Amino acid sequence: MAVTRSVLLFVLAAVAEIGGCWLIWQAVREHRSWLLAVGGVVALGAYGFVAAAQPDSHFGRVLAAYGGVFVAGSLAWGVLVDGFRPSVWDLVGAAVCLVGAGIIIYQPRA
């Protein structure tokens, strides 16, 4: 159950961080309402709290593993929200990042 909770927290963190950055991007780069930027700042703040809810108590380990989730999540966001079409190399790179994240966070502890 701890792994399931951890995976869900990583997914929620990715949605909050990537979504927050995307909202700010929309306000700044796409010249949309600055209210989107405010929403982005709130989402980025929420990301910090979600990341802190991970069961592992080591900040560096959690953030290092989240980095792999962020890479894959960013590509997925691009596909789902922006119509981005990843190359096979994008997908291979994201898979490598997710494997690395899993090794970092879910390795057996002595």
Side-chain angles (χ1 to χ4, degrees), residues 20-108:
C21 289
W22 184 83
L23 288 170
I24 292 170
W25 180 283
Q26 292 301 304
V28 174
R29 299 284 302 258
E30 303 298 328
H31 308 289
R32 297 183 62 197
S33 170
W34 278 97
L35 289 176
L36 292 175
V38 172
V41 169
V42 170
L44 289 168
Y47 153 75
F49 286 97
V50 173
Q54 279 289 344
D56 193 296
S57 63
H58 297 92
F59 174 81
R61 180 180 294 137
V62 169
L63 268 287
Y66 173 68
V69 175
F70 178 81
V71 169
S74 295
L75 290 174
W77 185 280
V79 168
L80 296 171
V81 177
D82 286 330
F84 172 70
R85 297 187 59 91
S87 71
V88 69
W89 295 109
D90 293 329
L91 299 174
V92 169
V96 168
C97 289
L98 288 174
V99 168
I103 290 168
I104 290 168
I105 202 73
Y106 302 124
Q107 67 174 314

